[in-house]
Structures are given as structure tokens and as C-alpha cells.
Coordinates of all heavy atoms in Angstrom, one line a residue:
M1 N -193.8 164.3 -71.1 CA -193.1 163.7 -72.2 C -194.0 163.4 -73.4 O -195.1 162.9 -73.2 CB -192.5 162.4 -71.6 CG -191.8 161.6 -72.7 SD -190.8 160.2 -72.0 CE -192.0 159.0 -71.7
P2 N -193.6 163.7 -74.6 CA -194.4 163.5 -75.8 C -194.8 162.0 -75.9 O -194.0 161.1 -75.6 CB -193.5 163.9 -76.9 CG -192.5 164.8 -76.4 CD -192.3 164.4 -74.9
F3 N -196.0 161.7 -76.3 CA -196.5 160.3 -76.4 C -195.6 159.5 -77.3 O -195.3 159.9 -78.4 CB -197.9 160.3 -76.9 CG -198.5 159.0 -77.0 CD1 -198.9 158.3 -75.9 CD2 -198.7 158.4 -78.3 CE1 -199.4 157.0 -76.0 CE2 -199.2 157.1 -78.4 CZ -199.5 156.4 -77.3
G4 N -195.2 158.3 -76.8 CA -194.4 157.4 -77.6 C -192.9 157.8 -77.7 O -192.2 157.1 -78.4
K5 N -192.5 158.9 -77.2 CA -191.1 159.3 -77.3 C -190.3 158.7 -76.1 O -190.7 158.7 -75.0 CB -190.9 160.8 -77.3 CG -191.5 161.5 -78.5 CD -190.4 161.6 -79.5 CE -190.9 162.5 -80.7 NZ -189.8 163.0 -81.5
K6 N -189.1 158.2 -76.5 CA -188.2 157.6 -75.5 C -187.0 158.5 -75.2 O -186.4 159.0 -76.1 CB -187.7 156.2 -75.9 CG -186.8 155.5 -75.0 CD -186.3 154.2 -75.5 CE -185.3 153.6 -74.5 NZ -184.7 152.5 -75.0
R7 N -186.8 158.8 -73.9 CA -185.6 159.6 -73.5 C -184.4 158.8 -73.7 O -184.3 157.6 -73.3 CB -185.8 160.1 -72.1 CG -186.9 161.1 -71.9 CD -186.9 161.5 -70.4 NE -188.1 162.3 -70.2 CZ -188.1 163.6 -70.3 NH1 -187.1 164.3 -70.6 NH2 -189.3 164.3 -70.0
V8 N -183.3 159.5 -74.1 CA -182.0 158.9 -74.3 C -180.9 159.8 -73.8 O -181.2 161.0 -73.7 CB -181.7 158.4 -75.7 CG1 -182.6 157.3 -76.2 CG2 -181.8 159.6 -76.7
S9 N -179.8 159.3 -73.5 CA -178.7 160.2 -72.9 C -177.9 160.8 -74.1 O -177.7 160.2 -75.1 CB -177.8 159.3 -72.1 OG -176.6 160.1 -71.7
S10 N -177.4 162.0 -73.8 CA -176.4 162.7 -74.7 C -175.0 162.1 -74.5 O -174.2 162.4 -75.3 CB -176.5 164.2 -74.4 OG -175.9 164.4 -73.2
G11 N -174.8 161.3 -73.5 CA -173.5 160.9 -73.2 C -172.8 161.8 -72.1 O -171.7 161.4 -71.7
V12 N -173.4 162.9 -71.8 CA -172.8 163.8 -70.8 C -173.9 164.0 -69.7 O -174.9 164.7 -70.0 CB -172.5 165.2 -71.5 CG1 -171.9 166.1 -70.5 CG2 -171.5 165.0 -72.7
P13 N -173.7 163.4 -68.6 CA -174.8 163.4 -67.5 C -175.2 164.8 -67.1 O -176.4 165.1 -67.0 CB -174.1 162.7 -66.3 CG -173.1 161.8 -67.0 CD -172.6 162.5 -68.2
Q14 N -174.3 165.8 -67.0 CA -174.7 167.1 -66.7 C -175.5 167.8 -67.7 O -176.5 168.5 -67.4 CB -173.4 168.0 -66.4 CG -172.6 167.6 -65.3 CD -171.5 166.5 -65.7 OE1 -171.6 165.9 -66.8 NE2 -170.5 166.3 -64.9
L15 N -175.2 167.5 -69.0 CA -176.0 168.1 -70.1 C -177.4 167.4 -70.1 O -178.4 168.1 -70.3 CB -175.3 167.8 -71.4 CG -176.0 168.5 -72.6 CD1 -176.1 170.0 -72.5 CD2 -175.2 168.1 -73.9
D16 N -177.5 166.1 -69.8 CA -178.8 165.4 -69.7 C -179.7 166.1 -68.7 O -180.9 166.2 -68.9 CB -178.6 163.9 -69.4 CG -177.9 163.2 -70.6 OD1 -178.0 163.7 -71.7 OD2 -177.4 162.1 -70.3
R17 N -179.1 166.4 -67.5 CA -179.8 167.1 -66.5 C -180.4 168.4 -66.9 O -181.5 168.8 -66.7 CB -179.0 167.2 -65.2 CG -178.9 165.9 -64.4 CD -178.4 166.2 -63.0 NE -177.0 166.6 -62.9 CZ -176.0 165.8 -63.0 NH1 -176.1 164.6 -63.2 NH2 -174.8 166.3 -63.0
L18 N -179.5 169.2 -67.6 CA -180.0 170.5 -68.1 C -181.1 170.4 -69.1 O -182.0 171.2 -69.1 CB -178.8 171.3 -68.7 CG -177.8 171.8 -67.7 CD1 -176.5 172.4 -68.5 CD2 -178.4 173.0 -66.9
L19 N -180.9 169.5 -70.1 CA -181.9 169.3 -71.2 C -183.1 168.4 -70.9 O -184.0 168.4 -71.6 CB -181.2 168.7 -72.4 CG -180.0 169.6 -73.0 CD1 -179.4 168.8 -74.2 CD2 -180.6 170.9 -73.5
G20 N -183.0 167.7 -69.8 CA -184.0 166.7 -69.6 C -183.8 165.5 -70.5 O -184.8 164.9 -71.0
N21 N -182.6 165.2 -70.9 CA -182.2 164.2 -71.8 C -182.6 164.6 -73.3 O -183.1 165.7 -73.5 CB -182.8 162.8 -71.5 CG -182.2 162.2 -70.3 OD1 -182.5 162.6 -69.2 ND2 -181.2 161.3 -70.5
L22 N -182.4 163.7 -74.2 CA -182.8 163.8 -75.6 C -183.9 162.8 -75.8 O -184.1 161.9 -75.0 CB -181.6 163.6 -76.5 CG -180.3 164.4 -76.3 CD1 -179.2 163.9 -77.2 CD2 -180.6 165.9 -76.7
F23 N -184.5 163.0 -76.9 CA -185.5 162.0 -77.3 C -185.1 161.3 -78.6 O -184.4 162.0 -79.5 CB -186.9 162.7 -77.6 CG -187.6 163.2 -76.4 CD1 -187.5 164.5 -76.0 CD2 -188.3 162.3 -75.5 CE1 -188.1 165.0 -74.9 CE2 -188.9 162.8 -74.4 CZ -188.8 164.1 -74.1
I24 N -185.4 160.0 -78.8 CA -185.1 159.3 -80.0 C -185.7 160.2 -81.2 O -186.8 160.6 -81.1 CB -185.8 157.9 -80.0 CG1 -185.2 157.0 -78.9 CG2 -185.6 157.3 -81.4 CD1 -183.8 156.6 -79.2
G25 N -184.9 160.4 -82.2 CA -185.3 161.2 -83.3 C -184.9 162.7 -83.3 O -185.0 163.4 -84.2
D26 N -184.4 163.1 -82.1 CA -184.0 164.5 -82.0 C -182.8 164.7 -82.9 O -182.0 163.9 -83.1 CB -183.6 164.8 -80.6 CG -184.7 165.1 -79.6 OD1 -185.8 165.2 -80.1 OD2 -184.4 165.3 -78.4
N27 N -182.7 165.9 -83.5 CA -181.5 166.3 -84.2 C -180.7 167.2 -83.2 O -181.2 168.1 -82.7 CB -181.9 167.1 -85.4 CG -182.6 166.3 -86.5 OD1 -182.1 165.3 -86.9 ND2 -183.8 166.7 -86.9
V28 N -179.5 166.8 -83.1 CA -178.6 167.6 -82.2 C -177.6 168.3 -83.0 O -176.9 167.7 -83.8 CB -177.9 166.6 -81.2 CG1 -176.9 167.4 -80.3 CG2 -178.9 165.8 -80.4
V29 N -177.5 169.6 -82.8 CA -176.6 170.5 -83.6 C -175.7 171.2 -82.6 O -176.1 171.9 -81.7 CB -177.4 171.6 -84.4 CG1 -176.4 172.5 -85.1 CG2 -178.4 170.9 -85.3
W30 N -174.4 170.9 -82.8 CA -173.3 171.6 -82.0 C -172.7 172.6 -82.9 O -172.2 172.3 -83.9 CB -172.3 170.6 -81.6 CG -172.7 169.5 -80.7 CD1 -172.8 168.2 -81.0 CD2 -173.2 169.6 -79.4 NE1 -173.3 167.5 -80.0 CE2 -173.5 168.3 -78.9 CE3 -173.3 170.6 -78.5 CZ2 -174.0 168.0 -77.7 CZ3 -173.8 170.4 -77.2 CH2 -174.1 169.1 -76.8
Y31 N -172.9 173.9 -82.5 CA -172.2 175.0 -83.3 C -171.0 175.3 -82.5 O -171.1 175.6 -81.3 CB -173.2 176.2 -83.4 CG -172.4 177.3 -84.0 CD1 -172.3 177.4 -85.4 CD2 -171.9 178.4 -83.2 CE1 -171.6 178.5 -85.9 CE2 -171.3 179.4 -83.8 CZ -171.1 179.5 -85.1 OH -170.4 180.5 -85.7
D32 N -169.8 175.3 -83.1 CA -168.6 175.6 -82.4 C -167.8 176.6 -83.2 O -167.9 176.7 -84.4 CB -167.8 174.3 -82.1 CG -167.3 173.6 -83.3 OD1 -167.8 173.8 -84.4 OD2 -166.3 172.9 -83.1
E33 N -166.9 177.2 -82.5 CA -165.9 178.1 -83.1 C -164.5 177.4 -82.9 O -164.3 176.5 -82.1 CB -166.0 179.4 -82.4 CG -167.3 180.1 -82.7 CD -167.4 181.5 -82.1 OE1 -166.3 182.1 -81.7 OE2 -168.5 182.0 -82.0
A34 N -163.6 177.9 -83.6 CA -162.2 177.4 -83.6 C -161.7 177.4 -82.1 O -161.9 178.3 -81.4 CB -161.2 178.3 -84.4
G35 N -161.2 176.2 -81.7 CA -160.7 176.1 -80.4 C -161.7 175.7 -79.3 O -161.4 175.5 -78.2
S36 N -163.0 175.5 -79.7 CA -164.0 175.1 -78.7 C -163.9 173.6 -78.5 O -163.2 172.9 -79.1 CB -165.4 175.5 -79.2 OG -165.8 174.6 -80.2
L37 N -164.7 173.2 -77.5 CA -164.6 171.8 -77.1 C -165.8 171.0 -77.6 O -166.2 170.0 -77.1 CB -164.6 171.7 -75.6 CG -163.4 172.4 -74.9 CD1 -163.5 172.4 -73.4 CD2 -162.1 171.8 -75.4
A38 N -166.5 171.5 -78.7 CA -167.7 170.8 -79.1 C -167.5 169.4 -79.6 O -168.3 168.6 -79.4 CB -168.3 171.6 -80.3
L39 N -166.3 169.1 -80.1 CA -166.0 167.7 -80.5 C -166.0 166.8 -79.3 O -166.4 165.6 -79.5 CB -164.7 167.6 -81.2 CG -164.4 166.3 -81.9 CD1 -165.5 166.0 -83.0 CD2 -163.1 166.3 -82.6
L40 N -165.7 167.3 -78.1 CA -165.8 166.4 -76.9 C -167.2 166.0 -76.7 O -167.5 164.8 -76.3 CB -165.2 167.1 -75.7 CG -163.7 167.4 -75.8 CD1 -163.3 168.2 -74.5 CD2 -162.9 166.1 -75.9
F41 N -168.2 166.9 -76.9 CA -169.6 166.6 -76.7 C -170.0 165.6 -77.8 O -170.8 164.7 -77.5 CB -170.5 167.9 -76.7 CG -170.3 168.7 -75.5 CD1 -169.5 169.8 -75.5 CD2 -171.0 168.4 -74.3 CE1 -169.4 170.6 -74.4 CE2 -170.9 169.2 -73.2 CZ -170.1 170.3 -73.2
G42 N -169.6 165.9 -79.0 CA -169.9 165.0 -80.1 C -169.4 163.6 -79.9 O -170.1 162.6 -80.1
A43 N -168.2 163.5 -79.4 CA -167.6 162.2 -79.1 C -168.4 161.5 -78.0 O -168.6 160.2 -78.1 CB -166.1 162.3 -78.7
A44 N -168.8 162.2 -77.0 CA -169.6 161.6 -75.9 C -170.9 161.0 -76.5 O -171.4 159.9 -76.1 CB -169.9 162.6 -74.8
L45 N -171.5 161.8 -77.4 CA -172.8 161.3 -78.0 C -172.5 160.1 -78.9 O -173.3 159.1 -78.9 CB -173.4 162.5 -78.8 CG -174.8 162.2 -79.5 CD1 -175.8 161.8 -78.4 CD2 -175.2 163.4 -80.3
I46 N -171.4 160.1 -79.6 CA -171.1 158.9 -80.4 C -170.8 157.7 -79.5 O -171.4 156.6 -79.8 CB -169.8 159.2 -81.3 CG1 -170.2 160.3 -82.4 CG2 -169.3 157.9 -82.0 CD1 -168.9 160.8 -83.1
R47 N -170.1 157.9 -78.4 CA -169.9 156.7 -77.5 C -171.2 156.2 -77.0 O -171.4 155.0 -76.9 CB -168.9 157.1 -76.4 CG -167.5 157.1 -76.8 CD -166.6 157.3 -75.5 NE -166.7 158.5 -74.9 CZ -166.1 159.7 -75.3 NH1 -165.3 159.6 -76.3 NH2 -166.3 160.8 -74.6
E48 N -172.1 157.1 -76.6 CA -173.4 156.7 -76.1 C -174.2 155.9 -77.1 O -174.8 154.9 -76.8 CB -174.2 157.9 -75.6 CG -175.5 157.6 -74.9 CD -175.3 156.9 -73.5 OE1 -174.3 157.0 -72.9 OE2 -176.3 156.2 -73.1
S49 N -174.1 156.4 -78.3 CA -174.8 155.7 -79.4 C -174.2 154.3 -79.7 O -175.0 153.4 -80.0 CB -174.8 156.6 -80.7 OG -175.4 157.8 -80.5
I50 N -172.9 154.2 -79.6 CA -172.3 152.9 -79.8 C -172.7 152.0 -78.7 O -173.1 150.8 -79.0 CB -170.7 153.1 -79.8 CG1 -170.3 153.8 -81.1 CG2 -170.0 151.7 -79.7 CD1 -168.8 154.2 -81.1
F51 N -172.7 152.5 -77.5 CA -173.1 151.6 -76.3 C -174.5 151.1 -76.5 O -174.8 150.0 -76.2 CB -173.0 152.5 -75.0 CG -173.5 151.8 -73.8 CD1 -172.7 150.7 -73.3 CD2 -174.7 152.1 -73.2 CE1 -173.2 150.1 -72.1 CE2 -175.1 151.5 -72.1 CZ -174.4 150.4 -71.5
R52 N -175.4 152.0 -77.0 CA -176.8 151.6 -77.2 C -177.1 150.9 -78.5 O -178.3 150.6 -78.8 CB -177.7 152.8 -77.0 CG -177.4 153.5 -75.7 CD -178.7 153.8 -75.0 NE -178.4 154.5 -73.7 CZ -178.6 153.8 -72.5 NH1 -179.0 152.6 -72.5 NH2 -178.3 154.5 -71.4
K53 N -176.0 150.8 -79.4 CA -176.2 150.2 -80.7 C -177.2 151.0 -81.5 O -178.1 150.4 -82.2 CB -176.5 148.7 -80.6 CG -175.4 147.9 -80.0 CD -175.8 146.4 -79.9 CE -174.7 145.6 -79.4 NZ -174.0 145.9 -78.3
K54 N -177.1 152.3 -81.5 CA -178.0 153.2 -82.3 C -177.2 153.9 -83.3 O -176.1 154.3 -83.1 CB -178.7 154.2 -81.3 CG -179.5 153.6 -80.2 CD -180.7 152.9 -80.8 CE -181.6 152.3 -79.8 NZ -182.7 151.5 -80.3
A55 N -177.8 154.2 -84.4 CA -177.2 154.9 -85.5 C -177.1 156.3 -85.2 O -177.9 156.9 -84.5 CB -178.0 154.7 -86.8
I56 N -176.0 156.9 -85.7 CA -175.8 158.4 -85.6 C -175.1 158.9 -86.9 O -174.3 158.2 -87.5 CB -174.9 158.7 -84.4 CG1 -174.8 160.2 -84.1 CG2 -173.5 158.1 -84.5 CD1 -174.2 160.5 -82.7
V57 N -175.6 160.1 -87.3 CA -175.1 160.7 -88.5 C -174.3 162.0 -88.0 O -174.9 162.8 -87.3 CB -176.2 161.1 -89.5 CG1 -175.6 161.8 -90.7 CG2 -176.9 159.9 -89.9
F58 N -173.1 162.1 -88.4 CA -172.2 163.2 -88.0 C -172.0 164.1 -89.2 O -171.4 163.6 -90.2 CB -170.9 162.7 -87.4 CG -170.1 163.8 -86.7 CD1 -169.8 163.7 -85.4 CD2 -169.5 164.8 -87.5 CE1 -169.0 164.6 -84.8 CE2 -168.7 165.8 -86.9 CZ -168.5 165.7 -85.5
V59 N -172.5 165.3 -89.3 CA -172.4 166.2 -90.4 C -171.4 167.3 -90.0 O -171.6 168.0 -89.0 CB -173.7 166.8 -90.8 CG1 -173.5 167.7 -92.0 CG2 -174.7 165.7 -91.2
S60 N -170.3 167.5 -90.7 CA -169.4 168.5 -90.4 C -169.2 169.4 -91.6 O -169.0 168.9 -92.8 CB -168.0 167.9 -90.0 OG -167.1 168.9 -89.8
F61 N -169.2 170.7 -91.4 CA -169.1 171.7 -92.5 C -167.7 172.3 -92.5 O -167.4 173.0 -93.4 CB -170.2 172.7 -92.4 CG -171.5 172.2 -92.6 CD1 -172.4 171.9 -91.5 CD2 -172.0 171.9 -93.9 CE1 -173.6 171.4 -91.7 CE2 -173.3 171.4 -94.0 CZ -174.1 171.2 -92.9
D62 N -167.0 172.2 -91.4 CA -165.7 172.9 -91.3 C -164.5 172.1 -91.1 O -163.4 172.6 -90.9 CB -165.8 174.0 -90.2 CG -165.9 173.4 -88.8 OD1 -166.3 172.2 -88.7 OD2 -165.7 174.1 -87.9
R63 N -164.6 170.8 -91.1 CA -163.4 169.9 -91.0 C -163.4 169.0 -92.2 O -164.4 168.5 -92.6 CB -163.5 169.1 -89.7 CG -163.4 169.9 -88.4 CD -163.5 169.0 -87.2 NE -163.3 169.8 -86.0 CZ -164.2 170.4 -85.4 NH1 -165.5 170.3 -85.8 NH2 -164.0 171.0 -84.2
S64 N -162.2 168.7 -92.6 CA -162.0 167.8 -93.7 C -162.3 166.4 -93.2 O -162.1 166.1 -92.0 CB -160.6 167.8 -94.3 OG -159.7 167.2 -93.3
P65 N -162.8 165.5 -94.0 CA -163.0 164.1 -93.6 C -161.8 163.5 -92.9 O -161.9 162.8 -91.8 CB -163.4 163.4 -94.8 CG -164.0 164.4 -95.7 CD -163.2 165.6 -95.4
R66 N -160.6 163.7 -93.5 CA -159.4 163.1 -92.9 C -159.2 163.7 -91.5 O -158.9 162.9 -90.5 CB -158.2 163.4 -93.8 CG -156.9 163.0 -93.2 CD -156.6 161.6 -92.9 NE -157.3 160.6 -93.6 CZ -157.6 159.4 -93.1 NH1 -157.4 159.1 -91.9 NH2 -158.3 158.5 -93.8
N67 N -159.3 165.0 -91.3 CA -159.1 165.6 -90.0 C -160.1 165.1 -89.0 O -159.8 164.8 -87.9 CB -159.2 167.1 -90.1 CG -159.1 167.9 -88.8 OD1 -160.0 168.1 -88.1 ND2 -157.8 168.3 -88.6
L68 N -161.4 165.0 -89.4 CA -162.4 164.5 -88.5 C -162.1 163.0 -88.1 O -162.3 162.7 -86.9 CB -163.8 164.6 -89.2 CG -165.0 164.3 -88.3 CD1 -165.0 165.2 -87.1 CD2 -166.3 164.5 -89.1
L69 N -161.7 162.2 -89.1 CA -161.4 160.8 -88.7 C -160.2 160.7 -87.8 O -160.3 159.9 -86.8 CB -161.1 160.0 -90.0 CG -162.2 159.7 -91.0 CD1 -161.7 159.1 -92.3 CD2 -163.3 158.9 -90.3
D70 N -159.3 161.6 -88.0 CA -158.1 161.6 -87.1 C -158.5 162.0 -85.7 O -158.1 161.4 -84.7 CB -157.0 162.6 -87.6 CG -156.3 162.0 -88.8 OD1 -156.4 160.8 -89.1 OD2 -155.6 162.8 -89.5
Q71 N -159.4 163.0 -85.6 CA -159.9 163.5 -84.3 C -160.7 162.5 -83.5 O -160.7 162.4 -82.3 CB -160.6 164.8 -84.4 CG -159.7 166.0 -84.8 CD -160.4 167.3 -84.9 OE1 -161.6 167.3 -85.2 NE2 -159.8 168.4 -84.5
L72 N -161.6 161.8 -84.3 CA -162.4 160.8 -83.7 C -161.7 159.5 -83.3 O -162.1 158.8 -82.4 CB -163.6 160.5 -84.6 CG -164.7 161.6 -84.7 CD1 -165.7 161.2 -85.8 CD2 -165.3 161.9 -83.4
G73 N -160.6 159.2 -84.0 CA -159.9 158.0 -83.7 C -160.7 156.8 -83.9 O -161.4 156.6 -84.8
P74 N -160.6 155.8 -82.9 CA -161.3 154.6 -83.0 C -162.9 154.7 -83.0 O -163.5 153.8 -83.5 CB -160.9 153.8 -81.7 CG -159.7 154.5 -81.2 CD -159.8 155.9 -81.7
L75 N -163.4 155.8 -82.6 CA -164.8 156.0 -82.6 C -165.3 156.1 -84.0 O -166.5 155.7 -84.3 CB -165.2 157.4 -81.9 CG -165.1 157.4 -80.4 CD1 -165.4 158.8 -79.9 CD2 -165.9 156.4 -79.7
A76 N -164.5 156.5 -85.0 CA -164.9 156.6 -86.4 C -165.1 155.2 -87.0 O -165.6 155.1 -88.1 CB -163.9 157.4 -87.2
Q77 N -164.6 154.2 -86.4 CA -164.6 152.8 -87.0 C -166.0 152.1 -86.8 O -166.2 151.0 -87.3 CB -163.5 152.0 -86.5 CG -162.1 152.6 -86.7 CD -161.9 152.9 -88.2 OE1 -162.1 152.1 -89.0 NE2 -161.4 154.1 -88.4
T78 N -166.8 152.6 -85.9 CA -168.1 151.9 -85.6 C -169.0 151.9 -86.8 O -169.2 152.9 -87.5 CB -168.8 152.5 -84.4 OG1 -170.0 151.8 -84.2 CG2 -169.2 154.0 -84.7
P79 N -169.7 150.8 -87.1 CA -170.7 150.7 -88.2 C -171.9 151.6 -87.9 O -172.7 151.8 -88.8 CB -171.0 149.3 -88.3 CG -170.6 148.7 -87.0 CD -169.5 149.5 -86.4
H80 N -172.1 152.0 -86.7 CA -173.3 152.8 -86.3 C -173.1 154.3 -86.7 O -174.1 155.1 -86.6 CB -173.6 152.7 -84.8 CG -173.8 151.3 -84.4 ND1 -174.9 150.6 -84.7 CD2 -173.0 150.5 -83.6 CE1 -174.9 149.4 -84.1 NE2 -173.7 149.3 -83.5
L81 N -171.9 154.7 -87.1 CA -171.6 156.1 -87.4 C -171.5 156.3 -88.9 O -170.8 155.6 -89.6 CB -170.3 156.5 -86.8 CG -169.8 157.9 -87.0 CD1 -170.7 158.9 -86.4 CD2 -168.4 158.1 -86.4
T82 N -172.3 157.4 -89.4 CA -172.1 157.8 -90.7 C -171.6 159.2 -90.7 O -172.2 160.1 -90.0 CB -173.5 157.8 -91.5 OG1 -174.0 156.5 -91.5 CG2 -173.4 158.3 -92.9
I83 N -170.5 159.5 -91.4 CA -170.0 160.9 -91.4 C -170.2 161.5 -92.8 O -169.9 160.9 -93.8 CB -168.4 160.8 -91.1 CG1 -168.2 160.2 -89.7 CG2 -167.8 162.2 -91.3 CD1 -166.7 160.0 -89.4
L84 N -170.8 162.7 -92.7 CA -171.1 163.4 -94.0 C -170.2 164.7 -94.0 O -170.1 165.3 -93.0 CB -172.6 163.8 -94.1 CG -173.6 162.6 -94.2 CD1 -175.0 163.2 -94.2 CD2 -173.3 161.8 -95.4

């Protein structure tokens, strides 16, 4: 483990086992195509960040802000989340 780096969960236990967790400061990029389930992984990461009271920045290039807010529902209301 890199010196001084703390492991954190992605919010998906099986993914954590595959990746060996994430580290504070990691940039996580989900590339998805129409109809994929990437937003489910993103929502899990947002829930985990809310639980840990950690900030998260969600950058979306293919969804309108309104559509993204609708899809995230109550998760979009947390002050820990910044949507770009």
C-alpha cells in the first residue's frame, strides 16, 4: 500500500475485492454506453461517500443536469456531492 494512503470502499463489495479497494484521492472514471448499468455503480459510490461524509464530484458528459438529478433522486441532495 502506498505510504500514507488510506483504502476506502467503492460502495460495491465485489468491486472492492477485485480492485483491492480505492485510495483517498483516486479518480474513478465510469465509461458507459447507452443502456449500461454504470449509474448503479456511481450511485453506490455516492452512497458510500455520504456514509463516510466525504466529498465527491460527479462529472457527466452525456446526460443533462435535469436527467442526472432525476436519476440520482434523493442522492443528489447531499451537500457532499458536486455535479458538473
